Amino acid sequence: MIVRPRPNWFRLLLVVRGSVLPMILPQLLLTLAFALVVTLLHGRVYVWKVSLTFVPFSLIGLTLAIFLGFRNNTSYARYWEARVLWGEVLNDTRSLARQSLTLVDRDSNSTVFVHRLIAFVHALRHQLRGTDPNTDLARWLSKDDLSRLKGARYKASAILLMADEWLRDRRLAGQLVAPLAQAMQVHMGHLSDALGGCERIASTPIPFTYGVIIHRTVYLYCLLLPFGLVDSIGAMTPVVITFIAYTFFALEALSSEIEEPFGTEPNDLPLDAMSEGIETSLLELLGERNLPTAPQPKNYVLT
Amino acid sequence: MIVRPRPNWFRLLLVVRGSVLPMILPQLLLTLAFALVVTLLHGRVYVWKVSLTFVPFSLIGLTLAIFLGFRNNTSYARYWEARVLWGEVLNDTRSLARQSLTLVDRDSNSTVFVHRLIAFVHALRHQLRGTDPNTDLARWLSKDDLSRLKGARYKASAILLMADEWLRDRRLAGQLVAPLAQAMQVHMGHLSDALGGCERIASTPIPFTYGVIIHRTVYLYCLLLPFGLVDSIGAMTPVVITFIAYTFFALEALSSEIEEPFGTEPNDLPLDAMSEGIETSLLELLGERNLPTAPQPKNYVLT
Amino acid sequence: MIVRPRPNWFRLLLVVRGSVLPMILPQLLLTLAFALVVTLLHGRVYVWKVSLTFVPFSLIGLTLAIFLGFRNNTSYARYWEARVLWGEVLNDTRSLARQSLTLVDRDSNSTVFVHRLIAFVHALRHQLRGTDPNTDLARWLSKDDLSRLKGARYKASAILLMADEWLRDRRLAGQLVAPLAQAMQVHMGHLSDALGGCERIASTPIPFTYGVIIHRTVYLYCLLLPFGLVDSIGAMTPVVITFIAYTFFALEALSSEIEEPFGTEPNDLPLDAMSEGIETSLLELLGERNLPTAPQPKNYVLT
Amino acid sequence: MIVRPRPNWFRLLLVVRGSVLPMILPQLLLTLAFALVVTLLHGRVYVWKVSLTFVPFSLIGLTLAIFLGFRNNTSYARYWEARVLWGEVLNDTRSLARQSLTLVDRDSNSTVFVHRLIAFVHALRHQLRGTDPNTDLARWLSKDDLSRLKGARYKASAILLMADEWLRDRRLAGQLVAPLAQAMQVHMGHLSDALGGCERIASTPIPFTYGVIIHRTVYLYCLLLPFGLVDSIGAMTPVVITFIAYTFFALEALSSEIEEPFGTEPNDLPLDAMSEGIETSLLELLGERNLPTAPQPKNYVLT
Amino acid sequence: MIVRPRPNWFRLLLVVRGSVLPMILPQLLLTLAFALVVTLLHGRVYVWKVSLTFVPFSLIGLTLAIFLGFRNNTSYARYWEARVLWGEVLNDTRSLARQSLTLVDRDSNSTVFVHRLIAFVHALRHQLRGTDPNTDLARWLSKDDLSRLKGARYKASAILLMADEWLRDRRLAGQLVAPLAQAMQVHMGHLSDALGGCERIASTPIPFTYGVIIHRTVYLYCLLLPFGLVDSIGAMTPVVITFIAYTFFALEALSSEIEEPFGTEPNDLPLDAMSEGIETSLLELLGERNLPTAPQPKNYVLT
């Protein structure tokens, strides 16, 4: 279990890491500068007074709320589904390891099978992040297995086939009867589903046009808003604009970050730590003890 | 994995392709023209002053938000369910290909079976898009199989039967024992479910009346709004009307586009690329290497 | 696949069929008449001026939005779940038909079994609509089977038992081994679930009190609103009231229509067409060709 | 199928039974009285004028909408999940009854098994309502079975074990082969899940604090609101307050009623009628005819 | 069944325990003090008048509603999923206990197996709360079993393996045939899923940045609001600010509490009582009677 310290209400106001502030600072400063200019000119462009009230912004809020709420909910749903899928990888590799120890008979040794499952997990992580899996795979697969993977585009899928071949060999050797082989196929199928589910999230973003419309609406809103406020709140306009723009930009930045949950930004899923956790849990089932302790979050962030 | 470049916040304001702007331009210009006329006449029709304030528009927002939010969420739910179903097609064809290699014994050759699964995928895509599947099917099915499909309305379902017949033949030949045949029936059933699920989405739209009511409400809203704004914001009326109308029309156009996810519009599902991806992944399991690389999106759009 | 023509944005404003306008016209005219009277009397009842502003209506919007949004979402969820359940009937009858052709050996003939599945579909439809199933059942069941159904209240459930008896007979005749009989029980169970799911939706409406509260709130709102608007928008009051009332009444009417998805109103599920589609698809699996084409929607409506 | 008459739009305004009005009348009258006093005093407490406008109420609406919407949605989700679970009880007892007739061979008689399933349903209902199950159980269980249940706290679970013992006896007598016994275990497991699901809903309410916060906020809101309205709408204040308070109290009362769906209030689940329906359906599968007809709702309410 | 007394509408206003008031009192008093100062100075800072109206707060409500609603819904979804997972632990341990009594033949004694299941439940609870499981485990496991757990980080997973070893031993002893062993693997897999699901919720909080942004926005909002209200409602400002701040802080505190459902705060899941309930239910299936009664809630709270 990862112990997560929660800052109290006062420290929560001051924390920097994990905040999206650095990411949205440029746009925020531009917005502030523009609001300052509008305030100094009392809403005039040359001699022409831009006559705006708060009403249009109240009306535009209708569609903006739909867009922003949708974007946020959908992004989080992707993030959480990705997390659930990785949870299933843990559950099903554990179930398979357990079954390989209790359903396969006559002095079977599950080490090769469990190592292939661990290799599957690492291959999945590298595939999702577009990084090179070879170092990790070499720790868990034999040379023969590694050479079979050469040139394969879907390495995780190929390793799943190898794990299944171990089961077939046990079955043909009379160590695993058909009904129990069938019970293990359930979890093999789940791993295939989890793999495909991760690929789905990674390859299918929220339709691109949503981002375009939201982005334009938010910027136009923040650009026009100073004209709508300057007559009623005067000098407070830049403060209020910055406050409102902060919440808009922060919501957009955060949605955009968790929309692609397999990346390496602070709010993305800690695939490194999760892979390591699965590895440890599977090795423990093989009887190994004194395994490395779980990685700890730094500044409330885990990579 | 498809690498998706994300434009930064500034370029996102200017992108054209993938935007729905071209699609809604005519209505937008009409709305702008009408708002200009109302502004020039100071809200008068002949000598009669149309006395409106923002209040009715604020009240109408109640039902409008429900309608638009519902339409958007439901359309996206259809889009995403369609994507999930295609993901299941990948998962289950992969599982079946893997099982045909590990559960069927005594020198079985899975090529015919896997080719039938590939044919199933192409038949499904053509059925959903209403296009002619014959060229694609001819690449993967024998002449006998093709002739059996003649006159069939549900070709994908018929190909699934053929795949199952291959399994039956293996079973009758003693190469596949009953409990393992049962394990493969699980995934055959899933493919049947995915097929039926896609047919369901394609044949059952959101109840037509929703579209009618939303459409009328939005247009009446945009038509009356200039009268409600011209007294308070004067010359800015056309700008604001166009802005508000843009978000309404864009939301409606986008919802309408993704509501039917199997089409060929920019925000629809890239069925071509997805079919090709499944094909490649299945062939790789058969041991083939040097397969064509995955198709890349152009201007953030994949067909 | 059913090809659905979509009217363009202009024709969508004029369409009549599929609109709920005819259904809500009486209430709408009453509301308009009342608003006209209030406007002519400048909000006075005898000599007493009813002093209202828009504020109460803005505040009441809070709960009204919760009620209306809830009612709409829940009604649609019922509609869509009903559609999904009918989709499962298609998927599982197809899977069973396919399995009866590939898992049952030694010159088995699946015709009787598949005909019983078709009879199940028709019995389900008639049960949900409260219509007489005998004509349809007589097309697909033997006289013996029909006589067994006499006096049965749950005919669909009884036909499912008959289908299962065919499987039992095959098993006892040595044509179907136990593990494969088990594989078919999976889909028999799904059919039982789909049947029960449809019965659940048909017999359990949204708690009645929701409708009562929403109905009263909406009518009281529309009755009081003219007093709240007449001082600020004067002669435009009846126009605005009619517009607002239209969206309220339309939302209520549409929710009420799709809340009971098994009826025969324009926005209900096309059970006739769907039963026919399942029938065709099952017969095709038996090898029949030249089957009747799918029914086409008229004025965007399918019965 | 239960035929539900729907009152038309006019009668819906007048219906009393099924309305929550009687339940909230005391609070409503208190609120009205308070609003009358405030109106008569023109918002003064002694000589001190309470200066309030609508603005605070508009702002407080933000959190109030979140709380009330959440409470309502969650309560209904509990209600509907409870209904789905009882639907599963119907589906799975039906499937088990059907399987006991077709999968168990050699002159087996399913009566004892099906009667135990019926006893399970009644035991579940009584457990959820905290009523005495003995009369109902005595109708369906033997004396031996009844004596085994003495002192048992989880009677439904114990009856499920008895049903499973019947299956074991059939298996040991050679009337049920292992793979088919396995097929029936699927539905036995589902019944266990449905039982546990009902227990979960019955024993875990929505966190208590939600109710406390919502309750306080609603009452404070209704207490302060007259001061905020009296200056602008004068004599109409009590009317408007009563209207707004009605929707708040009704929403709270209704949410609170369906939050615990297993009770005996008008909007709770009709467990009596549902148990009887399952009983009838199971007996019909055993071949019994002329069973009692389904109970009918009175005043739109079914117990 | 746990009987939950519900306080009536009047007592609900006064209850203290279960309320979050004590937790948010410091911040609430600070906010009140600040509002008092602003009111006394009539919104002036030195000589400079802070010119604010309610408009900015109305506009900021847009994003604030999205953030707060999202946080609340997501926290509750986590809470409820955690509850569902513990419900599955009950369901599947019950199913396994039942199956160990009916599927394992020839004088098998299930006591050891059921005790291991009970140990699994306690190990899971202690793992989730980070407490020492040894006392509880010693009640249900043999010394040999306990020594095997030494140094294991994932104790619940290890105990699941031990339970499975009991099944393997029965199978190797000829007391459990393979197809029935397979039926039990279904529930063993579910337990593995429930274990992994709880670990997922415990180790993956809502992305930290949400909390940071919401916290800052809420505090800035409450800090600026007095300036926006003092001109229109004067002396009532502190009352209103405290009211609004109460709902904000309470919503935040409650969300934060149920976000981590495995803790020991008043609104967290009563894992102690739930573990005891599972224990009792399993022992009852073994035939034990006169078990301890279920724990009762105190002041509406169960630990």
Side-chain angles (χ1 to χ4, degrees):
Chain A
M1 234 34 9
I2 295 162
V3 181
R4 269 165 299 123
R6 268 193 281 171
N8 69 16
W9 68 273
F10 185 71
R11 296 196 48 187
L12 204 51
L13 291 173
L14 304 173
V15 79
V16 175
R17 185 90 162 85
S19 152
V20 289
L21 204 52
M23 212 183 314
I24 63 175
L25 207 60
Q27 300 101 292
L28 212 52
L29 291 178
L30 268 176
T31 312
L32 172 59
F34 184 76
L36 276 171
V37 171
V38 171
T39 309
L40 289 174
L41 299 175
H42 296 283
R44 271 198 192 80
V45 176
Y46 294 99
V47 293
W48 189 61
K49 166 75 182 170
V50 178
S51 57
L52 268 182
T53 66
F54 74 97
V55 169
F57 303 95
S58 174
L59 297 179
I60 208 83
L62 183 88
T63 41
L64 203 50
I66 292 174
F67 273 125
L68 286 173
F70 166 77
R71 173 82 182 282
N72 181 58
N73 288 337
T74 308
S75 293
Y76 182 75
R78 290 166 60 84
Y79 170 85
W80 191 241
E81 195 196 349
R83 180 61 188 86
V84 169
L85 289 168
W86 269 81
E88 287 175 11
V89 170
L90 168 64
N91 303 345
D92 288 297
T93 49
R94 260 188 193 161
S95 286
L96 283 167
R98 181 173 46 70
Q99 290 181 321
S100 75
L101 292 163
T102 58
L103 303 186
V104 186
D105 302 327
R106 292 196 224 157
D107 301 317
S108 154
N109 185 321
S110 302
T111 309
V112 170
F113 180 66
V114 172
H115 283 195
R116 283 179 184 172
L117 292 178
I118 294 175
F120 166 78
V121 175
H122 288 294
L124 174 57
R125 172 169 55 94
H126 285 294
Q127 181 180 334
L128 294 171
R129 288 197 161 159
T131 47
D132 181 13
N134 287 327
T135 318
D136 274 318
L137 297 185
R139 286 162 56 213
W140 303 106
L141 294 180
S142 70
K143 283 203 174 149
D144 275 6
D145 289 353
L146 283 172
S147 73
R148 274 181 66 190
L149 287 178
K150 248 179 208 156
R153 194 191 302 160
Y154 300 95
K155 288 194 169 58
S157 174
I159 297 173
L160 215 55
L161 176 61
M162 291 175 187
D164 214 359
E165 286 169 355
W166 185 87
L167 292 173
R168 179 196 57 196
D169 295 344
R170 296 291 76 66
R171 187 169 53 77
L172 294 178
Q175 296 171 298
L176 176 64
V177 294
L180 300 180
Q182 189 188 352
M184 298 187 76
Q185 285 300 316
V186 171
H187 298 289
M188 294 300 289
H190 288 177
L191 283 188
S192 193
D193 292 350
L195 163 62
C198 288
E199 289 174 333
R200 166 169 49 81
I201 290 175
S203 70
T204 313
I206 298 175
F208 182 64
T209 310
Y210 277 108
V212 174
I213 298 175
I214 292 171
H215 200 70
R216 284 178 188 171
T217 306
V218 163
Y219 276 82
L220 198 50
Y221 186 100
C222 291
L223 212 78
L224 290 177
L225 189 53
F227 297 104
L229 291 181
V230 72
D231 286 346
S232 59
I233 63 169
M236 285 299 283
T237 305
V239 175
V240 166
I241 297 292
T242 310
F243 185 19
I244 291 178
Y246 165 71
T247 63
F248 276 134
F249 295 165
L251 186 53
E252 220 201 336
L254 187 48
S255 294
S256 168
E257 198 173 314
I258 64 172
E259 183 189 339
E260 311 283 349
F262 299 124
T264 52
E265 291 167 306
N267 286 300
D268 286 331
L269 288 175
L271 295 194
D272 289 348
M274 279 155 55
S275 307
E276 217 171 302
I278 298 174
E279 190 182 306
T280 311
S281 185
L282 295 184
L283 292 176
E284 217 180 77
L285 282 172
L286 286 181
E288 299 192 25
R289 291 293 183 269
N290 304 317
L291 293 158
T293 54
Q296 297 299 319
K298 288 176 194 158
N299 291 317
Y300 317 114
V301 173
L302 200 64
T303 53
Chain B
M1 234 37 6
I2 294 162
V3 181
R4 270 166 299 123
R6 269 192 281 172
N8 68 17
W9 69 272
F10 185 71
R11 295 197 49 186
L12 204 51
L13 291 173
L14 305 173
V15 78
V16 175
R17 184 92 161 86
S19 153
V20 289
L21 204 53
M23 213 182 313
I24 63 176
L25 208 58
Q27 300 101 292
L28 212 52
L29 291 178
L30 268 175
T31 312
L32 172 60
F34 185 77
L36 276 171
V37 171
V38 171
T39 308
L40 289 174
L41 299 176
H42 297 283
R44 270 196 194 80
V45 176
Y46 295 99
V47 293
W48 189 60
K49 168 73 183 172
V50 178
S51 58
L52 268 183
T53 66
F54 75 97
V55 170
F57 302 96
S58 175
L59 297 179
I60 208 84
L62 183 88
T63 42
L64 202 51
I66 293 174
F67 273 125
L68 287 173
F70 166 76
R71 174 82 182 282
N72 182 58
N73 288 337
T74 308
S75 293
Y76 182 74
R78 291 167 59 85
Y79 170 85
W80 192 241
E81 194 196 350
R83 180 61 189 85
V84 168
L85 289 168
W86 268 81
E88 287 175 12
V89 170
L90 168 64
N91 303 345
D92 288 297
T93 49
R94 258 188 194 162
S95 286
L96 283 167
R98 181 173 45 69
Q99 290 181 321
S100 75
L101 292 164
T102 57
L103 303 186
V104 186
D105 303 327
R106 292 196 225 157
D107 300 318
S108 155
N109 184 320
S110 302
T111 309
V112 170
F113 180 67
V114 172
H115 284 194
R116 283 179 183 171
L117 293 177
I118 295 175
F120 166 78
V121 175
H122 289 294
L124 174 57
R125 172 168 55 95
H126 286 293
Q127 180 179 334
L128 294 170
R129 289 198 161 157
T131 47
D132 181 13
N134 287 325
T135 319
D136 274 318
L137 296 186
R139 287 162 55 213
W140 302 105
L141 294 180
S142 70
K143 282 202 174 151
D144 276 7
D145 289 353
L146 284 171
S147 74
R148 276 182 65 190
L149 287 178
K150 248 181 208 153
R153 194 191 302 161
Y154 300 95
K155 289 195 170 56
S157 175
I159 297 173
L160 216 55
L161 177 61
M162 290 176 188
D164 214 0
E165 287 169 354
W166 186 86
L167 293 174
R168 179 196 56 195
D169 295 344
R170 296 290 79 65
R171 187 168 53 77
L172 293 178
Q175 295 171 300
L176 177 64
V177 295
L180 301 181
Q182 188 188 353
M184 298 187 76
Q185 285 300 316
V186 172
H187 298 289
M188 294 300 289
H190 289 177
L191 283 188
S192 193
D193 292 349
L195 163 62
C198 288
E199 289 173 333
R200 166 169 50 81
I201 290 174
S203 70
T204 312
I206 298 175
F208 182 63
T209 310
Y210 278 108
V212 174
I213 299 175
I214 293 172
H215 201 69
R216 284 178 188 169
T217 306
V218 162
Y219 275 82
L220 198 50
Y221 186 100
C222 291
L223 212 77
L224 290 176
L225 189 52
F227 296 104
L229 290 181
V230 71
D231 285 346
S232 60
I233 62 170
M236 284 299 283
T237 304
V239 175
V240 166
I241 297 292
T242 310
F243 185 19
I244 291 178
Y246 165 71
T247 63
F248 277 133
F249 295 165
L251 186 52
E252 219 201 337
L254 187 49
S255 294
S256 168
E257 198 174 313
I258 64 172
E259 184 189 339
E260 311 283 350
F262 299 123
T264 53
E265 291 167 306
N267 286 299
D268 286 329
L269 288 175
L271 295 193
D272 289 348
M274 278 155 56
S275 307
E276 216 172 302
I278 298 174
E279 191 182 304
T280 310
S281 184
L282 295 184
L283 292 176
E284 217 180 76
L285 283 172
L286 287 181
E288 298 193 26
R289 292 292 184 269
N290 304 316
L291 293 158
T293 54
Q296 296 299 319
K298 286 175 195 157
N299 290 316
Y300 317 113
V301 174
L302 200 65
T303 52
Chain C
M1 239 27 15
I2 294 162
V3 181
R4 270 166 297 123
R6 268 192 282 173
N8 69 16
W9 69 272
F10 186 71
R11 295 197 49 188
L12 204 50
L13 291 173
L14 304 174
V15 80
V16 175
R17 184 92 161 86
S19 153
V20 289
L21 204 53
M23 213 182 313
I24 63 175
L25 207 58
Q27 300 102 291
L28 213 51
L29 290 178
L30 267 175
T31 312
L32 171 59
F34 185 78
L36 276 171
V37 170
V38 171
T39 308
L40 289 174
L41 299 176
H42 297 283
R44 271 196 192 81
V45 176
Y46 295 99
V47 295
W48 188 60
K49 167 73 182 171
V50 179
S51 57
L52 269 183
T53 65
F54 75 98
V55 170
F57 303 95
S58 174
L59 297 179
I60 209 83
L62 183 88
T63 42
L64 203 50
I66 292 174
F67 273 124
L68 287 173
F70 166 76
R71 174 83 182 282
N72 182 57
N73 288 337
T74 308
S75 293
Y76 182 74
R78 290 167 61 85
Y79 170 85
W80 192 240
E81 194 197 349
R83 180 60 188 87
V84 168
L85 289 168
W86 269 81
E88 287 175 12
V89 170
L90 169 64
N91 302 346
D92 288 297
T93 50
R94 257 187 194 161
S95 286
L96 282 166
R98 181 172 46 69
Q99 290 181 322
S100 74
L101 292 164
T102 57
L103 303 186
V104 186
D105 302 327
R106 291 196 227 157
D107 300 319
S108 155
N109 184 321
S110 302
T111 309
V112 170
F113 180 67
V114 172
H115 284 194
R116 284 179 183 171
L117 294 177
I118 294 175
F120 166 78
V121 175
H122 288 294
L124 173 58
R125 171 168 56 94
H126 286 293
Q127 181 179 335
L128 294 171
R129 289 197 162 160
T131 47
D132 180 12
N134 287 325
T135 320
D136 274 318
L137 297 186
R139 286 162 55 213
W140 302 106
L141 294 180
S142 71
K143 282 200 174 150
D144 277 6
D145 290 352
L146 284 171
S147 72
R148 276 182 64 190
L149 286 179
K150 250 182 207 153
R153 193 190 303 160
Y154 300 95
K155 288 194 169 59
S157 175
I159 297 174
L160 216 55
L161 176 61
M162 290 176 188
D164 214 359
E165 286 169 355
W166 186 86
L167 293 174
R168 179 196 56 195
D169 295 344
R170 295 291 78 65
R171 187 168 53 77
L172 294 178
Q175 295 171 299
L176 177 63
V177 295
L180 300 181
Q182 188 188 354
M184 298 187 76
Q185 285 300 318
V186 172
H187 298 288
M188 293 301 288
H190 289 177
L191 283 187
S192 193
D193 292 349
L195 163 61
C198 288
E199 289 174 332
R200 165 170 49 82
I201 290 174
S203 70
T204 313
I206 298 176
F208 182 63
T209 309
Y210 277 108
V212 174
I213 299 175
I214 293 171
H215 201 69
R216 284 178 189 169
T217 305
V218 162
Y219 276 81
L220 198 50
Y221 186 100
C222 291
L223 213 78
L224 290 176
L225 189 53
F227 296 103
L229 290 181
V230 71
D231 285 346
S232 60
I233 64 170
M236 285 300 282
T237 305
V239 175
V240 165
I241 297 292
T242 311
F243 185 18
I244 291 179
Y246 166 70
T247 63
F248 277 133
F249 295 165
L251 185 53
E252 220 201 336
L254 187 49
S255 294
S256 168
E257 199 174 313
I258 64 173
E259 184 190 338
E260 311 283 350
F262 300 123
T264 53
E265 292 167 306
N267 286 301
D268 286 330
L269 287 175
L271 295 193
D272 288 347
M274 278 154 55
S275 306
E276 217 172 301
I278 298 175
E279 190 182 305
T280 311
S281 185
L282 296 184
L283 292 176
E284 216 180 77
L285 283 172
L286 287 180
E288 299 192 25
R289 290 293 183 268
N290 304 315
L291 294 158
T293 54
Q296 295 299 318
K298 287 176 194 157
N299 291 314
Y300 317 113
V301 173
L302 201 64
T303 54
Chain D
M1 240 27 15
I2 295 161
V3 180
R4 269 166 298 122
R6 267 192 282 173
N8 69 16
W9 69 272
F10 185 72
R11 295 197 49 187
L12 204 50
L13 290 173
L14 304 173
V15 80
V16 175
R17 184 91 161 84
S19 153
V20 289
L21 203 53
M23 211 183 314
I24 63 175
L25 207 59
Q27 300 102 293
L28 212 52
L29 291 177
L30 268 175
T31 312
L32 171 58
F34 185 78
L36 276 170
V37 171
V38 171
T39 308
L40 289 173
L41 299 175
H42 297 282
R44 271 198 191 79
V45 176
Y46 295 98
V47 295
W48 188 60
K49 168 74 183 170
V50 179
S51 57
L52 268 182
T53 66
F54 75 97
V55 170
F57 303 95
S58 174
L59 297 179
I60 209 83
L62 182 89
T63 41
L64 202 50
I66 292 174
F67 273 125
L68 287 173
F70 166 76
R71 174 82 181 282
N72 182 57
N73 288 337
T74 308
S75 293
Y76 182 75
R78 290 166 61 85
Y79 170 85
W80 192 241
E81 194 196 350
R83 180 62 188 85
V84 169
L85 290 168
W86 268 81
E88 287 175 11
V89 170
L90 169 64
N91 303 345
D92 289 297
T93 50
R94 258 188 194 161
S95 287
L96 283 166
R98 182 174 45 71
Q99 290 181 322
S100 75
L101 292 163
T102 58
L103 303 186
V104 186
D105 302 328
R106 292 195 225 156
D107 300 318
S108 155
N109 184 321
S110 301
T111 309
V112 170
F113 180 67
V114 172
H115 284 194
R116 284 179 183 170
L117 293 178
I118 294 176
F120 166 79
V121 174
H122 288 294
L124 174 57
R125 172 168 55 94
H126 285 292
Q127 181 179 334
L128 294 171
R129 289 195 162 160
T131 48
D132 180 12
N134 287 325
T135 319
D136 275 318
L137 296 186
R139 286 162 57 212
W140 302 107
L141 294 180
S142 71
K143 281 200 174 153
D144 277 7
D145 289 353
L146 283 171
S147 73
R148 276 182 65 189
L149 286 178
K150 249 181 208 154
R153 193 191 302 160
Y154 300 95
K155 288 193 170 58
S157 175
I159 297 174
L160 215 54
L161 176 61
M162 291 175 188
D164 214 359
E165 285 168 356
W166 186 87
L167 292 175
R168 179 197 55 195
D169 295 345
R170 296 291 79 64
R171 187 168 53 77
L172 293 177
Q175 294 172 299
L176 177 63
V177 295
L180 300 181
Q182 188 189 354
M184 298 187 76
Q185 285 300 318
V186 171
H187 298 289
M188 294 300 289
H190 289 177
L191 283 187
S192 192
D193 292 350
L195 163 62
C198 288
E199 290 174 332
R200 164 168 50 81
I201 290 175
S203 70
T204 313
I206 299 175
F208 183 63
T209 310
Y210 277 108
V212 174
I213 299 174
I214 292 171
H215 201 69
R216 285 178 187 168
T217 306
V218 162
Y219 276 81
L220 198 51
Y221 186 100
C222 291
L223 213 78
L224 290 176
L225 188 53
F227 297 103
L229 291 181
V230 71
D231 285 346
S232 59
I233 63 170
M236 285 298 283
T237 305
V239 175
V240 166
I241 296 292
T242 311
F243 185 18
I244 290 179
Y246 166 70
T247 63
F248 276 134
F249 296 165
L251 186 53
E252 220 200 336
L254 187 49
S255 294
S256 168
E257 199 173 313
I258 63 172
E259 183 189 339
E260 311 282 348
F262 299 124
T264 52
E265 292 167 305
N267 286 301
D268 286 331
L269 287 175
L271 295 194
D272 289 348
M274 279 155 56
S275 306
E276 217 172 300
I278 298 174
E279 191 182 305
T280 310
S281 185
L282 296 184
L283 292 176
E284 218 181 77
L285 283 173
L286 287 181
E288 299 193 25
R289 291 294 183 270
N290 303 316
L291 293 158
T293 54
Q296 296 299 318
K298 288 177 193 156
N299 292 314
Y300 318 112
V301 172
L302 201 65
T303 54
Chain E
M1 234 38 5
I2 295 161
V3 180
R4 268 166 298 124
R6 267 192 281 173
N8 69 17
W9 68 272
F10 185 72
R11 295 197 49 186
L12 203 51
L13 290 173
L14 304 173
V15 79
V16 175
R17 184 91 162 83
S19 154
V20 289
L21 203 53
M23 212 183 313
I24 63 175
L25 207 59
Q27 300 101 292
L28 211 52
L29 291 177
L30 268 176
T31 312
L32 172 59
F34 185 76
L36 276 171
V37 171
V38 171
T39 308
L40 289 173
L41 299 176
H42 297 283
R44 272 198 190 79
V45 176
Y46 295 98
V47 294
W48 188 60
K49 167 74 181 170
V50 178
S51 57
L52 268 183
T53 66
F54 74 97
V55 169
F57 302 96
S58 174
L59 297 179
I60 209 82
L62 182 90
T63 41
L64 203 50
I66 292 173
F67 273 125
L68 287 173
F70 166 76
R71 174 83 181 282
N72 182 57
N73 288 337
T74 308
S75 293
Y76 182 74
R78 291 166 60 85
Y79 170 85
W80 192 241
E81 195 197 349
R83 181 60 188 86
V84 169
L85 290 168
W86 269 80
E88 287 175 11
V89 170
L90 169 65
N91 304 345
D92 288 296
T93 50
R94 258 188 193 161
S95 286
L96 283 166
R98 182 174 45 70
Q99 290 180 322
S100 75
L101 292 164
T102 58
L103 303 186
V104 185
D105 302 327
R106 291 196 225 158
D107 300 318
S108 155
N109 184 322
S110 301
T111 309
V112 170
F113 180 67
V114 172
H115 284 194
R116 283 179 184 171
L117 293 178
I118 294 175
F120 166 78
V121 174
H122 289 294
L124 174 57
R125 172 169 54 95
H126 285 292
Q127 181 179 334
L128 294 172
R129 288 196 162 160
T131 47
D132 180 13
N134 287 326
T135 318
D136 274 318
L137 296 186
R139 286 162 56 212
W140 302 106
L141 293 181
S142 71
K143 283 204 174 150
D144 276 7
D145 289 353
L146 284 171
S147 73
R148 274 181 65 190
L149 286 179
K150 250 182 207 152
R153 194 190 303 161
Y154 300 95
K155 287 193 170 58
S157 175
I159 297 174
L160 216 54
L161 176 61
M162 291 176 188
D164 214 358
E165 286 169 355
W166 186 88
L167 292 174
R168 178 197 56 194
D169 294 346
R170 297 291 77 66
R171 187 169 52 78
L172 294 178
Q175 296 171 299
L176 177 63
V177 294
L180 300 181
Q182 188 190 353
M184 298 187 76
Q185 285 300 317
V186 171
H187 298 289
M188 294 299 290
H190 289 177
L191 283 187
S192 193
D193 292 349
L195 163 62
C198 287
E199 289 173 334
R200 164 169 50 81
I201 290 175
S203 70
T204 313
I206 299 175
F208 183 63
T209 310
Y210 277 108
V212 174
I213 299 175
I214 293 172
H215 201 70
R216 285 178 187 169
T217 306
V218 162
Y219 276 82
L220 198 50
Y221 186 100
C222 291
L223 214 78
L224 289 177
L225 189 53
F227 297 104
L229 291 181
V230 72
D231 285 346
S232 59
I233 64 170
M236 285 298 284
T237 304
V239 175
V240 166
I241 296 292
T242 311
F243 186 19
I244 291 179
Y246 165 71
T247 64
F248 276 133
F249 295 165
L251 185 53
E252 219 201 336
L254 187 49
S255 295
S256 169
E257 200 173 313
I258 63 172
E259 183 190 339
E260 311 282 350
F262 300 124
T264 53
E265 291 166 306
N267 286 299
D268 286 330
L269 288 175
L271 295 193
D272 289 347
M274 278 155 55
S275 305
E276 218 172 301
I278 298 175
E279 190 181 305
T280 310
S281 185
L282 295 184
L283 292 176
E284 217 181 77
L285 282 172
L286 287 180
E288 299 193 24
R289 291 292 183 269
N290 304 316
L291 293 158
T293 55
Q296 296 299 319
K298 289 175 193 158
N299 291 315
Y300 317 113
V301 173
L302 200 65
T303 52

